Amino acid sequence: MERITSADEVPEQGSYLFTVTEADGSEEEVILVRLSDGIGAWKNFCQHEIDQRLDRGVGNGAAIRDGEILCPKHGSSFDAETGYCDNGKAAGSTLAAVDIAVNRGDVFLTDDDLTFAHEGGIDDGDMPGSTSHLSF
């Protein structure tokens, strides 16, 4: 179990961005979001277009409205609790979940296939930014 951050650092609206290392050595971004009864973790990409980040690493993180995580490019919305999308180009898909636990006010990575790398996004510039014209 690796500590990611304090639960207090996960915003009420938006997301907390961090980077993990996959078993194959590649890096992936993950977002933490507030749920009705805790905190959830999802890999930071839209299921319709995997190079489209939900949290672009600026401002308050991913756009979240009425319990839905919004894709900034096409506007598909994913239920923050389940990751499921029932609209837009990503309809019928589900965000990739990451296993975490909250204990004594801290958030821990418990996913056996991932290793915590660092806070924030991937630093090497391989992940493209949003091409969105939407703003929230």
Side-chain angles (χ1 to χ4, degrees):
M1 222 170 34
E2 296 177 84
R3 183 182 182 278
I4 301 167
T5 190
S6 161
D8 291 340
E9 292 297 316
V10 180
E12 291 296 325
Q13 289 294 313
S15 59
Y16 178 91
L17 179 66
F18 67 100
T19 300
V20 296
T21 303
E22 301 268 0
D24 67 3
S26 64
E27 289 188 319
E28 188 74 54
E29 292 181 351
V30 177
I31 57 173
L32 298 175
V33 296
R34 288 277 175 182
L35 306 177
S36 61
D37 64 348
I39 296 172
W42 306 104
K43 289 193 176 175
N44 187 30
F45 61 86
C46 179
Q47 295 299 300
H48 167 67
E49 205 173 295
I50 63 170
D51 64 347
Q52 180 58 50
R53 298 163 64 193
L54 301 169
D55 180 329
R56 296 174 284 168
V58 295
N60 296 324
I64 298 179
R65 185 178 305 143
D66 298 326
E68 302 277 325
I69 303 168
L70 305 175
C71 173
K73 186 169 184 181
H74 295 112
S76 293
S77 57
F78 298 86
D79 184 283
E81 303 276 339
T82 66
Y84 184 73
C85 178
D86 64 2
N87 65 66
K89 293 189 177 194
S93 67
T94 303
L95 294 174
V98 173
D99 295 333
I100 61 162
V102 179
N103 187 6
R104 297 182 183 193
D106 287 322
V107 182
F108 294 89
L109 179 65
T110 60
D111 198 306
D112 293 335
D113 297 326
L114 304 173
T115 304
F116 179 77
H118 56 82
E119 294 180 358
I122 296 171
D123 292 329
D124 62 15
D126 288 342
M127 183 72 78
S130 173
T131 57
S132 174
H133 62 282
L134 301 175
S135 61
F136 301 97

mmCIF file of all heavy atoms in Angstrom, residues 22-69:
data_model
loop_
_atom_site.group_PDB
_atom_site.id
_atom_site.type_symbol
_atom_site.label_atom_id
_atom_site.label_comp_id
_atom_site.label_asym_id
_atom_site.label_seq_id
_atom_site.Cartn_x
_atom_site.Cartn_y
_atom_site.Cartn_z
ATOM 1 N N GLU A 22 2.909 1.444 -14.589
ATOM 2 C CA GLU A 22 2.271 0.155 -14.872
ATOM 3 C C GLU A 22 3.305 -0.965 -14.711
ATOM 4 O O GLU A 22 4.515 -0.713 -14.680
ATOM 5 C CB GLU A 22 1.741 0.144 -16.305
ATOM 6 C CG GLU A 22 0.732 1.235 -16.615
ATOM 7 C CD GLU A 22 -0.698 0.807 -16.405
ATOM 8 O OE1 GLU A 22 -0.941 -0.355 -16.007
ATOM 9 O OE2 GLU A 22 -1.585 1.637 -16.638
ATOM 10 N N ALA A 23 2.846 -2.205 -14.666
ATOM 11 C CA ALA A 23 3.734 -3.363 -14.522
ATOM 12 C C ALA A 23 4.759 -3.435 -15.651
ATOM 13 O O ALA A 23 5.884 -3.893 -15.445
ATOM 14 C CB ALA A 23 2.912 -4.646 -14.463
ATOM 15 N N ASP A 24 4.394 -2.936 -16.851
ATOM 16 C CA ASP A 24 5.318 -2.975 -17.996
ATOM 17 C C ASP A 24 6.295 -1.804 -18.013
ATOM 18 O O ASP A 24 7.089 -1.653 -18.935
ATOM 19 C CB ASP A 24 4.552 -3.043 -19.313
ATOM 20 C CG ASP A 24 3.748 -1.778 -19.617
ATOM 21 O OD1 ASP A 24 3.803 -0.798 -18.834
ATOM 22 O OD2 ASP A 24 3.060 -1.771 -20.655
ATOM 23 N N GLY A 25 6.234 -0.936 -17.002
ATOM 24 C CA GLY A 25 7.138 0.204 -16.904
ATOM 25 C C GLY A 25 6.605 1.490 -17.499
ATOM 26 O O GLY A 25 7.207 2.550 -17.333
ATOM 27 N N SER A 26 5.482 1.429 -18.189
ATOM 28 C CA SER A 26 4.901 2.645 -18.761
ATOM 29 C C SER A 26 4.209 3.462 -17.676
ATOM 30 O O SER A 26 3.820 2.937 -16.635
ATOM 31 C CB SER A 26 3.911 2.302 -19.872
ATOM 32 O OG SER A 26 2.814 1.576 -19.346
ATOM 33 N N GLU A 27 4.087 4.764 -17.940
ATOM 34 C CA GLU A 27 3.408 5.647 -16.984
ATOM 35 C C GLU A 27 1.981 5.912 -17.439
ATOM 36 O O GLU A 27 1.688 5.919 -18.628
ATOM 37 C CB GLU A 27 4.158 6.972 -16.855
ATOM 38 C CG GLU A 27 5.472 6.843 -16.123
ATOM 39 C CD GLU A 27 6.100 8.186 -15.846
ATOM 40 O OE1 GLU A 27 6.057 9.061 -16.736
ATOM 41 O OE2 GLU A 27 6.640 8.361 -14.750
ATOM 42 N N GLU A 28 1.120 6.134 -16.457
ATOM 43 C CA GLU A 28 -0.288 6.422 -16.713
ATOM 44 C C GLU A 28 -0.737 7.451 -15.687
ATOM 45 O O GLU A 28 -0.282 7.432 -14.536
ATOM 46 C CB GLU A 28 -1.112 5.141 -16.565
ATOM 47 C CG GLU A 28 -2.542 5.270 -16.991
ATOM 48 C CD GLU A 28 -2.704 5.316 -18.494
ATOM 49 O OE1 GLU A 28 -2.213 4.410 -19.181
ATOM 50 O OE2 GLU A 28 -3.331 6.284 -18.977
ATOM 51 N N GLU A 29 -1.615 8.345 -16.083
ATOM 52 C CA GLU A 29 -2.181 9.309 -15.145
ATOM 53 C C GLU A 29 -3.462 8.755 -14.533
ATOM 54 O O GLU A 29 -4.208 8.026 -15.191
ATOM 55 C CB GLU A 29 -2.482 10.635 -15.845
ATOM 56 C CG GLU A 29 -1.243 11.368 -16.279
ATOM 57 C CD GLU A 29 -1.545 12.693 -16.955
ATOM 58 O OE1 GLU A 29 -2.725 12.990 -17.257
ATOM 59 O OE2 GLU A 29 -0.587 13.428 -17.193
ATOM 60 N N VAL A 30 -3.703 9.137 -13.282
ATOM 61 C CA VAL A 30 -4.890 8.717 -12.542
ATOM 62 C C VAL A 30 -5.480 9.947 -11.868
ATOM 63 O O VAL A 30 -4.741 10.848 -11.448
ATOM 64 C CB VAL A 30 -4.538 7.643 -11.481
ATOM 65 C CG1 VAL A 30 -5.758 7.245 -10.654
ATOM 66 C CG2 VAL A 30 -3.920 6.414 -12.147
ATOM 67 N N ILE A 31 -6.815 9.982 -11.768
ATOM 68 C CA ILE A 31 -7.471 11.064 -11.040
ATOM 69 C C ILE A 31 -8.226 10.505 -9.841
ATOM 70 O O ILE A 31 -8.772 9.408 -9.893
ATOM 71 C CB ILE A 31 -8.436 11.883 -11.929
ATOM 72 C CG1 ILE A 31 -9.513 11.016 -12.566
ATOM 73 C CG2 ILE A 31 -7.649 12.650 -12.983
ATOM 74 C CD1 ILE A 31 -10.598 11.801 -13.313
ATOM 75 N N LEU A 32 -8.202 11.273 -8.769
ATOM 76 C CA LEU A 32 -9.032 11.007 -7.599
ATOM 77 C C LEU A 32 -10.188 11.998 -7.637
ATOM 78 O O LEU A 32 -9.973 13.189 -7.904
ATOM 79 C CB LEU A 32 -8.245 11.216 -6.306
ATOM 80 C CG LEU A 32 -7.030 10.332 -6.066
ATOM 81 C CD1 LEU A 32 -6.306 10.766 -4.787
ATOM 82 C CD2 LEU A 32 -7.432 8.868 -5.985
ATOM 83 N N VAL A 33 -11.410 11.511 -7.379
ATOM 84 C CA VAL A 33 -12.584 12.379 -7.348
ATOM 85 C C VAL A 33 -13.405 12.078 -6.100
ATOM 86 O O VAL A 33 -13.393 10.958 -5.591
ATOM 87 C CB VAL A 33 -13.460 12.212 -8.619
ATOM 88 C CG1 VAL A 33 -12.701 12.650 -9.859
ATOM 89 C CG2 VAL A 33 -13.965 10.798 -8.774
ATOM 90 N N ARG A 34 -14.087 13.105 -5.626
ATOM 91 C CA ARG A 34 -14.982 12.948 -4.473
ATOM 92 C C ARG A 34 -16.236 12.207 -4.919
ATOM 93 O O ARG A 34 -16.812 12.491 -5.965
ATOM 94 C CB ARG A 34 -15.406 14.310 -3.927
ATOM 95 C CG ARG A 34 -14.333 15.034 -3.211
ATOM 96 C CD ARG A 34 -14.249 14.560 -1.798
ATOM 97 N NE ARG A 34 -13.098 15.221 -1.177
ATOM 98 C CZ ARG A 34 -12.724 14.998 0.044
ATOM 99 N NH1 ARG A 34 -13.378 14.149 0.792
ATOM 100 N NH2 ARG A 34 -11.676 15.609 0.533
ATOM 101 N N LEU A 35 -16.660 11.241 -4.100
ATOM 102 C CA LEU A 35 -17.890 10.507 -4.307
ATOM 103 C C LEU A 35 -18.854 10.842 -3.175
ATOM 104 O O LEU A 35 -18.454 11.472 -2.193
ATOM 105 C CB LEU A 35 -17.612 8.999 -4.329
ATOM 106 C CG LEU A 35 -16.555 8.516 -5.321
ATOM 107 C CD1 LEU A 35 -16.333 7.017 -5.174
ATOM 108 C CD2 LEU A 35 -16.952 8.870 -6.743
ATOM 109 N N SER A 36 -20.082 10.387 -3.275
ATOM 110 C CA SER A 36 -21.051 10.681 -2.228
ATOM 111 C C SER A 36 -20.634 10.084 -0.885
ATOM 112 O O SER A 36 -20.966 10.620 0.164
ATOM 113 C CB SER A 36 -22.436 10.164 -2.617
ATOM 114 O OG SER A 36 -22.413 8.755 -2.789
ATOM 115 N N ASP A 37 -19.868 8.989 -0.926
ATOM 116 C CA ASP A 37 -19.470 8.335 0.317
ATOM 117 C C ASP A 37 -17.968 8.094 0.427
ATOM 118 O O ASP A 37 -17.519 7.190 1.111
ATOM 119 C CB ASP A 37 -20.210 7.014 0.473
ATOM 120 C CG ASP A 37 -19.851 6.010 -0.614
ATOM 121 O OD1 ASP A 37 -19.215 6.394 -1.620
ATOM 122 O OD2 ASP A 37 -20.202 4.829 -0.453
ATOM 123 N N GLY A 38 -17.179 8.898 -0.271
ATOM 124 C CA GLY A 38 -15.737 8.708 -0.180
ATOM 125 C C GLY A 38 -14.996 9.279 -1.371
ATOM 126 O O GLY A 38 -15.318 10.353 -1.868
ATOM 127 N N ILE A 39 -14.004 8.531 -1.848
ATOM 128 C CA ILE A 39 -13.144 8.964 -2.946
ATOM 129 C C ILE A 39 -13.010 7.813 -3.935
ATOM 130 O O ILE A 39 -12.871 6.645 -3.529
ATOM 131 C CB ILE A 39 -11.757 9.391 -2.413
ATOM 132 C CG1 ILE A 39 -11.908 10.613 -1.497
ATOM 133 C CG2 ILE A 39 -10.788 9.684 -3.559
ATOM 134 C CD1 ILE A 39 -10.645 11.016 -0.769
ATOM 135 N N GLY A 40 -13.048 8.128 -5.228
ATOM 136 C CA GLY A 40 -12.855 7.135 -6.276
ATOM 137 C C GLY A 40 -11.634 7.479 -7.103
ATOM 138 O O GLY A 40 -11.160 8.617 -7.097
ATOM 139 N N ALA A 41 -11.112 6.478 -7.824
ATOM 140 C CA ALA A 41 -9.924 6.679 -8.661
ATOM 141 C C ALA A 41 -10.169 6.080 -10.036
ATOM 142 O O ALA A 41 -10.627 4.944 -10.163
ATOM 143 C CB ALA A 41 -8.702 6.035 -8.015
ATOM 144 N N TRP A 42 -9.837 6.861 -11.057
ATOM 145 C CA TRP A 42 -10.020 6.456 -12.452
ATOM 146 C C TRP A 42 -8.775 6.825 -13.253
ATOM 147 O O TRP A 42 -8.155 7.855 -12.996
ATOM 148 C CB TRP A 42 -11.221 7.184 -13.062
ATOM 149 C CG TRP A 42 -12.471 7.008 -12.273
ATOM 150 C CD1 TRP A 42 -13.049 7.938 -11.439
ATOM 151 C CD2 TRP A 42 -13.301 5.861 -12.202
ATOM 152 N NE1 TRP A 42 -14.173 7.420 -10.862
ATOM 153 C CE2 TRP A 42 -14.362 6.141 -11.318
ATOM 154 C CE3 TRP A 42 -13.245 4.600 -12.801
ATOM 155 C CZ2 TRP A 42 -15.366 5.219 -11.031
ATOM 156 C CZ3 TRP A 42 -14.250 3.683 -12.515
ATOM 157 C CH2 TRP A 42 -15.288 3.995 -11.639
ATOM 158 N N LYS A 43 -8.433 6.004 -14.233
ATOM 159 C CA LYS A 43 -7.358 6.385 -15.150
ATOM 160 C C LYS A 43 -7.824 7.607 -15.918
ATOM 161 O O LYS A 43 -8.998 7.741 -16.256
ATOM 162 C CB LYS A 43 -6.984 5.230 -16.073
ATOM 163 C CG LYS A 43 -6.260 4.134 -15.299
ATOM 164 C CD LYS A 43 -5.606 3.129 -16.188
ATOM 165 C CE LYS A 43 -4.825 2.126 -15.357
ATOM 166 N NZ LYS A 43 -4.274 1.053 -16.207
ATOM 167 N N ASN A 44 -6.905 8.500 -16.184
ATOM 168 C CA ASN A 44 -7.192 9.839 -16.694
ATOM 169 C C ASN A 44 -7.306 9.883 -18.221
ATOM 170 O O ASN A 44 -6.534 10.559 -18.880
ATOM 171 C CB ASN A 44 -6.102 10.813 -16.215
ATOM 172 C CG ASN A 44 -6.430 12.248 -16.556
ATOM 173 O OD1 ASN A 44 -7.586 12.635 -16.626
ATOM 174 N ND2 ASN A 44 -5.399 13.046 -16.774
ATOM 175 N N PHE A 45 -8.272 9.150 -18.757
ATOM 176 C CA PHE A 45 -8.528 9.265 -20.188
ATOM 177 C C PHE A 45 -9.965 8.888 -20.498
ATOM 178 O O PHE A 45 -10.576 8.088 -19.808
ATOM 179 C CB PHE A 45 -7.553 8.424 -21.024
ATOM 180 C CG PHE A 45 -7.591 6.946 -20.756
ATOM 181 C CD1 PHE A 45 -8.494 6.121 -21.415
ATOM 182 C CD2 PHE A 45 -6.709 6.376 -19.858
ATOM 183 C CE1 PHE A 45 -8.522 4.757 -21.175
ATOM 184 C CE2 PHE A 45 -6.726 5.005 -19.616
ATOM 185 C CZ PHE A 45 -7.633 4.199 -20.275
ATOM 186 N N CYS A 46 -10.489 9.498 -21.548
ATOM 187 C CA CYS A 46 -11.833 9.207 -22.034
ATOM 188 C C CYS A 46 -11.804 7.867 -22.761
ATOM 189 O O CYS A 46 -10.876 7.592 -23.527
ATOM 190 C CB CYS A 46 -12.296 10.318 -22.983
ATOM 191 S SG CYS A 46 -13.947 10.020 -23.670
ATOM 192 N N GLN A 47 -12.805 7.065 -22.559
ATOM 193 C CA GLN A 47 -12.864 5.759 -23.202
ATOM 194 C C GLN A 47 -13.092 5.856 -24.710
ATOM 195 O O GLN A 47 -12.745 4.945 -25.452
ATOM 196 C CB GLN A 47 -13.968 4.908 -22.569
ATOM 197 C CG GLN A 47 -13.692 4.567 -21.135
ATOM 198 C CD GLN A 47 -12.432 3.763 -20.973
ATOM 199 O OE1 GLN A 47 -12.300 2.674 -21.511
ATOM 200 N NE2 GLN A 47 -11.474 4.297 -20.232
ATOM 201 N N HIS A 48 -13.633 6.969 -25.161
ATOM 202 C CA HIS A 48 -13.850 7.159 -26.600
ATOM 203 C C HIS A 48 -12.539 7.434 -27.328
ATOM 204 O O HIS A 48 -12.333 6.996 -28.452
ATOM 205 C CB HIS A 48 -14.838 8.301 -26.835
ATOM 206 C CG HIS A 48 -14.899 8.770 -28.249
ATOM 207 N ND1 HIS A 48 -15.383 7.978 -29.268
ATOM 208 C CD2 HIS A 48 -14.527 9.925 -28.823
ATOM 209 C CE1 HIS A 48 -15.301 8.644 -30.407
ATOM 210 N NE2 HIS A 48 -14.790 9.829 -30.159
ATOM 211 N N GLU A 49 -11.663 8.150 -26.661
ATOM 212 C CA GLU A 49 -10.412 8.586 -27.288
ATOM 213 C C GLU A 49 -9.333 8.585 -26.213
ATOM 214 O O GLU A 49 -9.208 9.550 -25.457
ATOM 215 C CB GLU A 49 -10.627 9.990 -27.853
ATOM 216 C CG GLU A 49 -9.738 10.362 -28.992
ATOM 217 C CD GLU A 49 -10.148 11.691 -29.588
ATOM 218 O OE1 GLU A 49 -11.255 11.791 -30.153
ATOM 219 O OE2 GLU A 49 -9.349 12.629 -29.469
ATOM 220 N N ILE A 50 -8.538 7.518 -26.141
ATOM 221 C CA ILE A 50 -7.656 7.333 -24.982
ATOM 222 C C ILE A 50 -6.572 8.389 -24.828
ATOM 223 O O ILE A 50 -5.999 8.527 -23.763
ATOM 224 C CB ILE A 50 -7.029 5.924 -24.945
ATOM 225 C CG1 ILE A 50 -6.130 5.682 -26.144
ATOM 226 C CG2 ILE A 50 -8.091 4.865 -24.817
ATOM 227 C CD1 ILE A 50 -5.300 4.431 -26.044
ATOM 228 N N ASP A 51 -6.306 9.169 -25.868
ATOM 229 C CA ASP A 51 -5.320 10.240 -25.693
ATOM 230 C C ASP A 51 -5.981 11.545 -25.239
ATOM 231 O O ASP A 51 -5.314 12.559 -25.107
ATOM 232 C CB ASP A 51 -4.481 10.449 -26.949
ATOM 233 C CG ASP A 51 -5.291 10.926 -28.138
ATOM 234 O OD1 ASP A 51 -6.531 10.870 -28.093
ATOM 235 O OD2 ASP A 51 -4.667 11.347 -29.130
ATOM 236 N N GLN A 52 -7.283 11.500 -24.959
ATOM 237 C CA GLN A 52 -8.003 12.672 -24.452
ATOM 238 C C GLN A 52 -8.068 12.613 -22.937
ATOM 239 O O GLN A 52 -8.728 11.751 -22.373
ATOM 240 C CB GLN A 52 -9.412 12.744 -25.037
ATOM 241 C CG GLN A 52 -10.196 13.939 -24.548
ATOM 242 C CD GLN A 52 -9.504 15.248 -24.852
ATOM 243 O OE1 GLN A 52 -9.094 15.500 -25.962
ATOM 244 N NE2 GLN A 52 -9.363 16.085 -23.853
ATOM 245 N N ARG A 53 -7.347 13.510 -22.284
ATOM 246 C CA ARG A 53 -7.305 13.548 -20.828
ATOM 247 C C ARG A 53 -8.567 14.189 -20.261
ATOM 248 O O ARG A 53 -9.072 15.171 -20.798
ATOM 249 C CB ARG A 53 -6.087 14.335 -20.378
ATOM 250 C CG ARG A 53 -4.789 13.687 -20.830
ATOM 251 C CD ARG A 53 -3.609 14.617 -20.754
ATOM 252 N NE ARG A 53 -3.333 15.016 -19.372
ATOM 253 C CZ ARG A 53 -2.527 16.005 -19.072
ATOM 254 N NH1 ARG A 53 -1.930 16.705 -20.007
ATOM 255 N NH2 ARG A 53 -2.303 16.301 -17.820
ATOM 256 N N LEU A 54 -9.047 13.665 -19.147
ATOM 257 C CA LEU A 54 -10.183 14.244 -18.430
ATOM 258 C C LEU A 54 -9.709 15.400 -17.553
ATOM 259 O O LEU A 54 -10.347 16.432 -17.473
ATOM 260 C CB LEU A 54 -10.879 13.165 -17.594
ATOM 261 C CG LEU A 54 -11.397 11.972 -18.397
ATOM 262 C CD1 LEU A 54 -11.824 10.847 -17.474
ATOM 263 C CD2 LEU A 54 -12.530 12.389 -19.317
ATOM 264 N N ASP A 55 -8.588 15.200 -16.887
ATOM 265 C CA ASP A 55 -7.919 16.246 -16.104
ATOM 266 C C ASP A 55 -6.687 16.639 -16.909
ATOM 267 O O ASP A 55 -5.784 15.840 -17.107
ATOM 268 C CB ASP A 55 -7.514 15.704 -14.736
ATOM 269 C CG ASP A 55 -6.802 16.728 -13.854
ATOM 270 O OD1 ASP A 55 -6.102 17.621 -14.398
ATOM 271 O OD2 ASP A 55 -6.918 16.609 -12.631
ATOM 272 N N ARG A 56 -6.665 17.879 -17.398
ATOM 273 C CA ARG A 56 -5.588 18.335 -18.274
ATOM 274 C C ARG A 56 -4.403 18.911 -17.511
ATOM 275 O O ARG A 56 -3.491 19.468 -18.105
ATOM 276 C CB ARG A 56 -6.143 19.346 -19.272
ATOM 277 C CG ARG A 56 -7.177 18.685 -20.194
ATOM 278 C CD ARG A 56 -7.854 19.673 -21.079
ATOM 279 N NE ARG A 56 -8.836 20.407 -20.266
ATOM 280 C CZ ARG A 56 -9.442 21.502 -20.659
ATOM 281 N NH1 ARG A 56 -9.183 22.031 -21.817
ATOM 282 N NH2 ARG A 56 -10.322 22.092 -19.884
ATOM 283 N N GLY A 57 -4.433 18.797 -16.185
ATOM 284 C CA GLY A 57 -3.307 19.251 -15.390
ATOM 285 C C GLY A 57 -3.289 20.743 -15.124
ATOM 286 O O GLY A 57 -2.274 21.276 -14.703
ATOM 287 N N VAL A 58 -4.377 21.422 -15.372
ATOM 288 C CA VAL A 58 -4.465 22.859 -15.113
ATOM 289 C C VAL A 58 -5.733 23.148 -14.324
ATOM 290 O O VAL A 58 -6.685 22.385 -14.364
ATOM 291 C CB VAL A 58 -4.477 23.680 -16.433
ATOM 292 C CG1 VAL A 58 -3.175 23.543 -17.175
ATOM 293 C CG2 VAL A 58 -5.640 23.295 -17.313
ATOM 294 N N GLY A 59 -5.742 24.247 -13.635
ATOM 295 C CA GLY A 59 -6.948 24.661 -12.917
ATOM 296 C C GLY A 59 -7.324 23.691 -11.812
ATOM 297 O O GLY A 59 -6.478 23.207 -11.078
ATOM 298 N N ASN A 60 -8.604 23.398 -11.737
ATOM 299 C CA ASN A 60 -9.139 22.556 -10.670
ATOM 300 C C ASN A 60 -9.299 21.100 -11.070
ATOM 301 O O ASN A 60 -10.012 20.355 -10.419
ATOM 302 C CB ASN A 60 -10.488 23.106 -10.200
ATOM 303 C CG ASN A 60 -10.354 24.469 -9.570
ATOM 304 O OD1 ASN A 60 -9.368 24.747 -8.900
ATOM 305 N ND2 ASN A 60 -11.323 25.327 -9.795
ATOM 306 N N GLY A 61 -8.677 20.697 -12.163
ATOM 307 C CA GLY A 61 -8.751 19.295 -12.564
ATOM 308 C C GLY A 61 -9.894 19.029 -13.520
ATOM 309 O O GLY A 61 -10.332 19.903 -14.262
ATOM 310 N N ALA A 62 -10.380 17.800 -13.490
ATOM 311 C CA ALA A 62 -11.460 17.373 -14.390
ATOM 312 C C ALA A 62 -12.727 18.166 -14.100
ATOM 313 O O ALA A 62 -13.024 18.499 -12.953
ATOM 314 C CB ALA A 62 -11.718 15.886 -14.215
ATOM 315 N N ALA A 63 -13.471 18.444 -15.165
ATOM 316 C CA ALA A 63 -14.766 19.104 -15.001
ATOM 317 C C ALA A 63 -15.762 18.079 -14.478
ATOM 318 O O ALA A 63 -15.922 17.003 -15.056
ATOM 319 C CB ALA A 63 -15.234 19.673 -16.333
ATOM 320 N N ILE A 64 -16.413 18.426 -13.369
ATOM 321 C CA ILE A 64 -17.412 17.534 -12.778
ATOM 322 C C ILE A 64 -18.678 18.354 -12.542
ATOM 323 O O ILE A 64 -18.639 19.434 -11.963
ATOM 324 C CB ILE A 64 -16.907 16.920 -11.459
ATOM 325 C CG1 ILE A 64 -15.655 16.082 -11.745
ATOM 326 C CG2 ILE A 64 -18.006 16.076 -10.812
ATOM 327 C CD1 ILE A 64 -15.043 15.440 -10.534
ATOM 328 N N ARG A 65 -19.776 17.808 -13.033
ATOM 329 C CA ARG A 65 -21.064 18.487 -12.887
ATOM 330 C C ARG A 65 -22.124 17.455 -12.522
ATOM 331 O O ARG A 65 -22.262 16.442 -13.216
ATOM 332 C CB ARG A 65 -21.444 19.186 -14.189
ATOM 333 C CG ARG A 65 -22.710 20.018 -14.072
ATOM 334 C CD ARG A 65 -23.070 20.744 -15.343
ATOM 335 N NE ARG A 65 -21.963 21.564 -15.787
ATOM 336 C CZ ARG A 65 -21.642 21.747 -17.067
ATOM 337 N NH1 ARG A 65 -22.328 21.163 -18.010
ATOM 338 N NH2 ARG A 65 -20.629 22.515 -17.393
ATOM 339 N N ASP A 66 -22.849 17.706 -11.446
ATOM 340 C CA ASP A 66 -23.934 16.829 -10.999
ATOM 341 C C ASP A 66 -23.496 15.368 -10.887
ATOM 342 O O ASP A 66 -24.198 14.455 -11.329
ATOM 343 C CB ASP A 66 -25.143 16.941 -11.937
ATOM 344 C CG ASP A 66 -25.735 18.339 -11.977
ATOM 345 O OD1 ASP A 66 -25.715 19.021 -10.930
ATOM 346 O OD2 ASP A 66 -26.201 18.755 -13.050
ATOM 347 N N GLY A 67 -22.307 15.147 -10.319
ATOM 348 C CA GLY A 67 -21.816 13.792 -10.117
ATOM 349 C C GLY A 67 -21.308 13.098 -11.364
ATOM 350 O O GLY A 67 -21.114 11.883 -11.366
ATOM 351 N N GLU A 68 -21.075 13.860 -12.422
ATOM 352 C CA GLU A 68 -20.597 13.310 -13.686
ATOM 353 C C GLU A 68 -19.245 13.937 -14.035
ATOM 354 O O GLU A 68 -19.068 15.147 -13.953
ATOM 355 C CB GLU A 68 -21.582 13.622 -14.815
ATOM 356 C CG GLU A 68 -22.990 13.109 -14.584
ATOM 357 C CD GLU A 68 -23.160 11.656 -14.956
ATOM 358 O OE1 GLU A 68 -22.523 11.212 -15.929
ATOM 359 O OE2 GLU A 68 -23.928 10.962 -14.266
ATOM 360 N N ILE A 69 -18.282 13.087 -14.449
ATOM 361 C CA ILE A 69 -16.990 13.552 -14.941
ATOM 362 C C ILE A 69 -17.148 13.791 -16.433
ATOM 363 O O ILE A 69 -17.548 12.886 -17.170
ATOM 364 C CB ILE A 69 -15.888 12.499 -14.695
ATOM 365 C CG1 ILE A 69 -15.802 12.158 -13.208
ATOM 366 C CG2 ILE A 69 -14.550 12.987 -15.238
ATOM 367 C CD1 ILE A 69 -14.959 10.924 -12.909
#
